Amino acid sequence: MPDMSAHLALTQLVPFAAKELDKNKVTPGVLGFVVFAVLALAVWLLMKSMNRHMGKISFEETPDPTTPETPASPAAK
């Protein structure tokens, strides 16, 4: 029963100083902070990787077809 073992694992994460657990009070606790910190670190690493990959892209914009072309200089011929 994976559900029961997960429940038992989560009950072990209850703070040791708590004398009684109030079922009506919801707090994220240490586990919530750890999960949030891991997600924040993952997003930061993904953004850093994305910026590195976007920097490697060489993009040349195609000329706008509605603008008239400029004649080439005589030195270019």
Side-chain angles (χ1 to χ4, degrees), residues 6 8-9 13 24 26 28 33 37 45 48 52 56 60 63 65-66 71:
L8 290 174
L13 295 174
N24 296 326
V26 178
F33 174 74
L45 289 172
K48 188 175 176 182
R52 193 175 334 120
K56 291 180 183 178
E60 293 182 15
T66 59

Side-chain angles (χ1 to χ4, degrees), residues 5 7 14 17 27 29-31 44 46 48 50-51 66 76:
S5 63
H7 177 68
V14 174
T27 59
V30 176
L31 179 63
W44 182 74
L46 284 171
K48 188 175 176 182
M50 182 192 70
N51 282 334
T66 59

Side-chain angles (χ1 to χ4, degrees), residues 10-70:
L10 287 175
T11 57
Q12 297 298 320
L13 295 174
V14 174
F16 296 111
K19 299 280 190 263
E20 64 183 52
L21 181 62
D22 185 7
K23 298 287 183 182
N24 296 326
K25 185 178 178 183
V26 178
T27 59
V30 176
L31 179 63
F33 174 74
V34 169
V35 169
F36 181 78
V38 167
L39 287 173
L41 180 64
V43 168
W44 182 74
L45 289 172
L46 284 171
M47 292 295 289
K48 188 175 176 182
S49 174
M50 182 192 70
N51 282 334
R52 193 175 334 120
H53 285 281
M54 292 297 284
K56 291 180 183 178
I57 295 174
S58 61
F59 174 74
E60 293 182 15
E61 189 173 337
T62 57
D64 190 11
T66 59
T67 58
E69 292 185 24
T70 57

